């Protein structure tokens, strides 16, 4: 009977496979079974003359079979698999020494020598304080966090908070990529971004507790009530939220981690570590075989010794006591034999395997062991030349990515503060204009309009070159000697030296050296005079006391005597007016009256428009007084009042051309109601427009309504 059942099952399976081969009624399970089928024959069938082949088909040669069988994510368009992949990459960065070091190098090394440079020093100070210093956005730390996200999980999501009354950025933070969704648009160049509200904010909106926090939130941002559900995503402006992604897949909307290239190597390394752990466990807790008993020949008797169950229990208890005690000893007879089951075992030397995997992990970042530790005997640096160029290119591209992110943030501030570019002609500044293509939203008409060009400092980094910097410096100096106009700032770009500070220090040192030199000469003069020795003529001239005229103050420097004019010998034109003339006495004052002879006209107040007003200071003193600058005024980042005044015109233009979209809060549902009322959803929420908290700065693009004449008048003030 069992044989008949086996033959029936085999015949039924063969019929199914024949149908599947012809594509009849094939299911996914049948396809997988057909790809992995193995035909087994029992020993009885082989004895009856059946085939002796036990396995028919081999392992399916599917390129993705390995990834599926090992549960490794490879579908980049699946959010669940991408979230799993990012979680694994974060774990590898935190636990793997090589991967963590490589990511830290790629995150921090490109930021060396970061500084601002602009043709207007006041703009350089403004943006340096706003972006680089700790009182501002602190990009020295924030860009490191961006790099860690970028090189670890493949993309970084910086979200900025813009202060429209001040016209500057308040803060910038990183979002978890798992809480962001990207929706490509067929009409827009950039995709739309949607985010999930933070858990604390969703809980506050649902529970409405604490009440005062909920009230403040609803007064400021009532539109958040429409996105309080866990599955609701809120649209965010592309100006506030930016995506910095590692483009490993051209047609994928999300970034792919660079560590994905080392995924298989990392999995193989874990398998090797598991093998070493299993051997170490066997060495730490070995499996021991204990034999009790002796043959008759061993005992010298005619009867062998076969232990009873009591003997085995007593021996097991003695072994347990020995293993549990500090001082271990077992005293027994020759009838006991103990040995490990697996024999004597040592930890295998897997160093070549680990070195091979480590080399592949380093190659993921374009590095090699010879680049980090130097070449050993028999190795050359020929292969490192290509790796060095690859690393240089990757880091340079990353610097350009950070520079584009900074420019997007800085241009928003420049438009709010009206930092327009200019050119100088004849000692005056004139604004530069640029042309843009504008499309009317209502009619769709395209027209070219002019708008002021913005001026922001350039964010400069240290040049990413792994070559010898000494050779590069010598090359710059050779160009300088050949007549190429290379400034000192350019030659000191990769050197940690502040050029302005060095100039000030050099000036102070020159002054101190000059004072010390003169004090030394004076000390020499005094010493020679006290000793009665001959004194050089230059020391006598500088330090020998001389008698002063009686009319000269001892504290006043000696001056040449003034020549007394002699009447009759000097020209008439050089004689001063000794007495007022008739015309001087009849000068008409500004009020139209007549000045009495011998009197002096009273000065006219400058506020009344008179031209005869003269201040008490002389012309020499007036020449040294500060004058009003003809350059545009740039408010320091710490002057809140000035920032508000600078952003006032752009806010007014935004209120005129781009009014705020007001959305009322979502009404609270009443569970005791019999029929649920339909809630009217605002049009802006239905169209998924970024509004309110994540609506973006409204002043962006408003400089198009500022005329060139208005700016030129302000530049000449």
């Amino acid at each position: 009977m069992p044989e008949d059942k086996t033959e029936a099952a085999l015949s039924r399976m063969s019929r199914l496979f024949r149908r599947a081969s012809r594509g009849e009624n094939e299911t996914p399970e049948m396809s997988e079974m057909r790809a992995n089928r193995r035909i087994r024959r029992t020993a009885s069938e082989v004895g009856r003359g059946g085939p002796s082949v036990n396995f028919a088909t081999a392992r399916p040669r599917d390129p993705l079979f390995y990834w599926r069988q090992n549960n490794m994510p490879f579908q980049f368009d699946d959010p669940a698999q991408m979230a799993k992949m990012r979680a694994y990459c974060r774990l590898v960065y935190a636990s793997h020494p090589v991967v963590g070091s490589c990511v830290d190098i790629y995150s921090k090394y490109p930021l060396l020598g970061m500084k601002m440079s602009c043709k207007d020093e006041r703009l350089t100070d403004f943006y340096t304080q706003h972006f680089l210093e700790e009182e501002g956005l602190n990009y020295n730390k924030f860009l490191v966090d961006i790099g860690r996200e970028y090189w670890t999980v493949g993309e970084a999501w910086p979200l900025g908070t813009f202060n429209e009354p001040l016209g500057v950025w308040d803060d910038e933070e990183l979002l978890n990529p798992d809480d962001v969704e990207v929706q490509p648009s067929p009409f827009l160049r950039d995709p739309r971004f949607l985010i999930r509200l933070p858990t604390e904010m969703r809980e506050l909106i649902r529970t409405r507790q604490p009440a005062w926090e909920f009230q403040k939130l609803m007064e400021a941002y009532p539109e958040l009530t429409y996105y309080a559900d866990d599955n609701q995503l809120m649209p965010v402006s592309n100006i506030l939220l930016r995506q910095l992604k590692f483009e490993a897949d051209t047609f994928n909307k999300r970034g792919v981690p660079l560590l994905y290239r080392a995924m298989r190597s990392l999995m193989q390394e874990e398998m090797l570590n598991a093998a070493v752990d299993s051997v170490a466990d066997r060495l730490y807790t070995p499996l021991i075989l204990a034999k009790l008993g002796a043959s008759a020949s061993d005992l010298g008797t005619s009867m062998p010794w076969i232990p009873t169950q009591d003997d085995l229990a007593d021996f097991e208890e003695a072994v347990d006591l020995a293993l549990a005690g500090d001082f271990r000893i077992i005293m027994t007879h020759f009838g006991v034999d103990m040995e490990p089951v697996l024999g004597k075992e040592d930890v295998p030397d897997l160093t070549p395997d680990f070195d091979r995997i480590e080399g592949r992990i380093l190659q993921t970042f374009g590095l090699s062991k010879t680049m980090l530790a130097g070449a050993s005997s028999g190795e050359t640096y020929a292969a490192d030349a290509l790796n060095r160029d690859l690393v240089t290119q990757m880091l340079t591209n990353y610097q350009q990515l950070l520079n584009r992110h900074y420019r997007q943030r800085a241009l928003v501030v420049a438009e709010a503060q009206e930092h327009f570019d200019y050119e100088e002609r004849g000692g005056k500044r004139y604004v530069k204009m640029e042309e843009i293509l504008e499309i009317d939203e209502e009619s769709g008409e395209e027209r070219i309009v002019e708008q002021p060009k913005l001026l922001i400092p350039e964010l400069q980094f240290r040049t990413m070159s792994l070559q010898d910097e000494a050779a590069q410096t010598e090359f710059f100096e050779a160009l300088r000697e050949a007549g190429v106009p290379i400034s000192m700032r350019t030659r000191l770009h990769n050197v940690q030296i502040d050029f302005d500070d060095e100039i000030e220090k050099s000036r102070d040192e020159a002054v101190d050296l000059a004072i010390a030199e003169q004090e030394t000469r004076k000390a020499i003069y005094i010493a020679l005079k006290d000793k009665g020795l001959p004194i050089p003529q230059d020391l006598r001239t500088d330090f020998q006391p001389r008698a002063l005229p009686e009319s000269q103050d001892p504290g006043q420097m000696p001056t040449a005597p003034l020549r007394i004019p002699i009447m009759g010998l000097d020209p008439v034109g050089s004689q001063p007016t000794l007495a007022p003339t008739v015309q001087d006495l009849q000068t008409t004052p500004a009020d139209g009256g007549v000045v009495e002879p011998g009197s002096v006209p009273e000065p006219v107040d400058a506020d009344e428009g008179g031209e005869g007003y003269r201040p008490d200071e002389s012309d020499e003193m007036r020449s040294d007084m500060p004058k009003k600058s003809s350059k545009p005024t740039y408010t320091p980042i710490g002057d809140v009042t000035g920032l508000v005044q600078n952003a006032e015109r752009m806010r007014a233009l935004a209120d005129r051309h781009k009014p705020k979209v007001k959305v009322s809060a979502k009404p609270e549902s009443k569970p005791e109601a019999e029929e649920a009322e339909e809630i009217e959803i605002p049009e802006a929420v239905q169209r998924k427009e970024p509004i309110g908290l994540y609506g973006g700065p409204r002043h962006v693009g408003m400089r198009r309504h500022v005329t060139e004449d208005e700016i030129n008048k302000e530049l000449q003030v």
Side-chain angles (χ1 to χ4, degrees):
M1 289 297 293
E3 295 180 357
D4 297 338
K5 292 183 179 179
T6 303
E7 292 179 357
L10 289 175
S11 62
R12 185 166 56 254
M13 291 179 61
S14 63
R15 289 196 301 270
L16 291 175
F17 284 128
R18 284 197 299 271
R19 292 180 181 177
S21 63
R22 295 193 300 268
E24 300 177 0
N25 301 327
E26 184 175 2
T27 62
E29 292 78 10
M30 295 173 62
S31 301
E32 188 70 19
M33 186 184 301
R34 182 166 57 87
N36 299 276
R37 68 180 182 267
R38 295 185 301 178
I39 301 177
R40 296 179 180 272
R41 307 303 296 270
T42 61
S44 60
E45 294 175 342
V46 175
R48 293 199 304 267
S52 60
V53 179
N54 293 331
F55 299 94
T57 56
R59 187 186 184 98
R61 289 175 173 80
D62 184 3
L64 301 179
F65 179 82
Y66 173 85
W67 303 90
R68 286 197 301 265
Q69 291 296 107
N70 291 275
N71 296 324
M72 298 176 65
F74 61 90
Q75 296 180 357
F76 301 144
D77 55 350
D78 187 0
Q81 290 198 17
M82 292 296 295
K84 179 180 178 181
M85 186 190 310
R86 285 190 285 263
Y88 176 73
C89 292
R90 296 183 193 276
L91 177 61
V92 171
Y93 166 76
S95 59
H96 200 284
V98 177
V99 173
S101 299
C102 292
V103 171
D104 290 340
I105 291 174
Y106 271 55
S107 302
K108 299 177 181 179
Y109 184 68
L111 303 181
L112 295 179
M114 183 171 57
K115 64 178 182 179
M116 301 283 186
S117 177
C118 184
K119 62 182 180 181
D120 196 308
E121 293 296 333
R122 291 168 296 175
L123 280 183
T124 302
D125 297 338
F126 178 89
Y127 285 90
T128 299
Q129 186 178 2
H130 183 37
F131 284 93
L132 300 185
E133 295 184 2
E134 294 183 359
E135 293 80 5
L137 299 180
N138 194 9
Y139 265 29
N140 289 317
K141 179 182 180 301
F142 183 69
L143 293 185
V144 175
D145 299 336
I146 288 182
R148 187 184 303 111
E149 282 286 298
Y150 178 82
W151 295 111
T152 302
V153 301
E155 58 182 355
W157 292 92
L159 175 64
T161 304
F162 191 78
N163 191 323
E164 292 195 11
L166 298 182
V168 294
W169 294 100
D170 274 344
D171 191 17
E172 195 168 7
E173 59 180 339
L174 288 174
L175 296 184
N176 189 349
D178 299 339
D179 296 334
V180 182
E181 181 177 333
V182 181
Q183 292 184 354
S185 173
F187 304 103
L188 302 177
R189 182 181 62 180
D190 298 328
R192 287 190 290 262
F193 299 146
L194 297 94
I195 66 172
R196 186 175 291 102
L197 292 182
T199 306
E200 297 80 5
M201 189 177 296
R202 297 200 304 267
E203 191 68 21
L204 175 62
I205 296 175
R206 284 197 293 259
T207 61
R208 300 173 180 260
Q209 296 295 330
W212 66 272
E213 289 187 1
F214 176 77
Q215 183 179 0
K216 292 293 183 181
L217 184 65
M218 291 299 100
E219 291 177 358
Y221 310 107
E223 70 279 354
L224 296 181
T225 54
Y226 295 93
Y227 306 98
D229 296 338
D230 295 337
N231 298 326
Q232 288 291 336
L233 298 177
M234 184 173 185
V236 184
S237 171
N238 293 33
I239 301 176
L240 300 180
L241 182 62
R242 301 196 71 250
Q243 181 187 20
L244 308 179
K245 69 174 184 177
F246 183 79
E247 297 183 357
D249 186 1
T250 306
F251 304 101
N252 189 17
K253 60 185 179 182
R254 303 300 295 265
V256 180
L258 177 64
L259 291 177
Y260 195 77
R261 299 176 181 178
M263 187 74 69
R264 295 185 64 175
S265 300
L266 292 171
M267 295 296 293
Q268 292 174 2
E269 186 180 25
E270 290 299 326
M271 295 171 67
L272 290 178
N273 288 329
V276 175
D277 292 341
S278 63
V279 175
D281 290 339
R282 290 198 299 269
L283 293 177
Y284 182 72
T285 57
L287 179 61
I288 300 176
L289 175 62
K291 299 179 182 179
L292 275 69
S295 62
S297 59
D298 294 336
L299 296 175
T301 61
S302 60
M303 295 288 295
W305 174 58
I306 300 176
T308 62
Q309 292 297 330
D310 295 336
D311 296 335
L312 295 177
D314 294 340
F315 182 77
E316 182 179 1
E317 183 179 359
V319 173
D320 291 339
L321 292 175
L323 294 177
D326 295 333
F327 181 73
R328 301 175 181 179
I329 183 173
I330 300 178
M331 301 180 64
T332 182
H333 46 76
F334 66 92
V336 176
D337 184 13
M338 300 180 64
E339 61 181 4
V341 176
L342 302 177
K344 185 178 181 181
E345 189 175 8
D346 297 329
V347 177
D349 186 10
L350 301 178
T351 302
D353 299 308
F354 281 107
D355 291 343
R356 176 181 57 84
I357 293 177
E358 183 179 351
R360 298 189 64 178
I361 295 175
L362 289 175
Q363 189 61 41
T364 302
F365 294 90
L367 303 174
S368 63
K369 291 184 178 180
T370 54
M371 292 178 61
L372 302 178
S376 59
S377 59
E379 296 181 351
T380 62
Y381 290 94
D384 292 337
L386 183 59
N387 290 342
R388 182 183 60 196
D389 296 339
L390 175 62
V391 173
T392 300
Q393 184 179 7
M394 292 177 63
L395 297 182
T396 302
N397 292 339
Y398 176 65
Q399 286 182 341
Q400 295 174 358
L401 181 70
L402 294 181
N403 205 341
R404 289 194 297 269
H405 172 70
Y406 154 75
R407 284 188 58 84
Q408 293 295 330
R409 295 294 194 228
L411 288 175
V412 177
V413 178
E415 187 166 3
Q417 299 294 327
E418 300 187 20
H419 294 163
F420 301 138
D421 197 359
Y422 59 88
E423 59 181 355
E424 295 186 1
R425 299 194 301 267
K428 296 183 178 181
R429 294 185 174 185
Y430 298 91
V431 66
K432 287 184 178 181
M433 305 295 290
E434 60 182 4
E435 295 181 348
I436 61 171
L437 179 63
E438 185 180 67
I439 302 177
D440 193 341
E441 296 182 357
E442 297 181 357
S443 63
E445 179 185 358
E446 297 181 354
R447 55 179 177 269
I448 298 178
V449 297
E450 285 189 345
Q451 65 180 9
K453 186 178 180 181
L454 299 177
L455 176 62
I456 60 174
E458 294 292 335
L459 183 62
Q460 297 180 352
F461 300 96
R462 182 176 179 179
T463 303
M464 288 292 98
S465 177
L466 301 182
Q467 299 178 355
D468 189 4
E469 295 184 0
Q472 185 178 6
T473 304
E474 293 179 359
F475 177 68
F476 283 165
E477 296 299 332
L479 292 178
R480 176 69 178 180
E481 294 178 359
V484 179
I486 301 178
S487 64
M488 291 185 179
R489 292 182 183 271
T490 302
R491 287 180 285 172
L492 296 177
H493 177 61
N494 288 342
V495 182
Q496 299 297 326
I497 295 178
D498 192 334
F499 187 69
D500 297 331
D501 291 344
E502 294 301 324
I503 291 178
E504 185 176 356
K505 291 178 181 179
S506 300
R507 181 172 58 249
D508 296 339
E509 289 178 356
V511 173
D512 295 339
L513 290 175
I515 294 175
E517 182 181 359
Q518 295 301 323
E519 289 178 350
T520 302
R521 297 179 69 247
K522 182 177 180 181
I524 294 174
Y525 171 79
I526 295 175
L528 294 176
K529 184 177 180 182
D530 294 341
K531 297 290 185 179
L533 299 176
I535 302 175
Q537 185 61 35
D538 60 335
L539 297 179
R540 290 178 178 273
T541 304
D542 294 339
F543 302 106
Q544 187 173 6
R546 293 184 294 271
L548 299 177
E550 296 180 358
S551 60
Q552 184 175 350
D553 188 5
Q556 183 181 2
M557 295 297 295
T559 57
L562 299 177
R563 178 179 178 277
I564 301 176
I566 302 177
M567 298 184 63
L569 298 179
D570 294 335
V572 179
S574 63
Q575 296 179 359
T577 303
L578 302 180
T581 61
V582 179
Q583 290 80 6
D584 296 334
L585 296 177
Q586 295 181 354
T587 300
T588 303
D591 55 0
V594 179
V595 179
E596 297 294 334
S599 63
V600 180
E602 296 182 358
V604 181
D605 191 359
D607 296 335
E608 298 178 1
E611 299 179 358
Y613 173 71
R614 300 285 293 174
D616 297 334
E617 296 86 358
S618 62
D619 292 339
E620 290 80 8
M621 296 179 64
R622 287 173 55 85
S623 61
D624 296 334
M625 293 178 64
K627 301 178 178 58
K628 191 172 184 179
S629 175
S630 61
K631 299 181 180 180
T633 303
Y634 299 130
T635 306
I637 194 68
D639 187 0
V640 178
T641 304
L643 294 177
V644 172
Q645 294 175 355
N646 289 352
E648 184 176 359
R649 177 163 63 177
M650 285 300 171
R651 291 201 309 273
L653 291 175
D655 294 337
R656 185 187 314 167
H657 299 280
K658 192 188 297 184
K660 290 184 178 180
V661 179
K662 297 182 179 180
V663 177
S664 59
K666 182 179 179 180
E668 184 180 2
S669 60
K670 299 179 180 180
E672 63 274 5
E674 296 181 357
E675 296 182 358
E677 300 180 357
E678 294 185 359
I679 299 176
E680 183 180 357
I681 301 178
E683 182 181 359
V685 178
Q686 294 180 2
R687 298 175 58 182
K688 295 184 178 181
E689 296 180 356
I691 56 176
L693 177 61
Y694 302 117
R698 295 185 302 115
H699 73 277
V700 175
M702 293 298 104
R703 72 179 189 274
R704 169 244 181 284
H705 303 284
V706 181
T707 62
E708 182 178 1
D709 295 337
E710 293 177 357
I711 303 175
N712 287 333
K713 290 180 181 179
E714 296 175 0
L715 291 176
Q716 309 310 325
V717 175

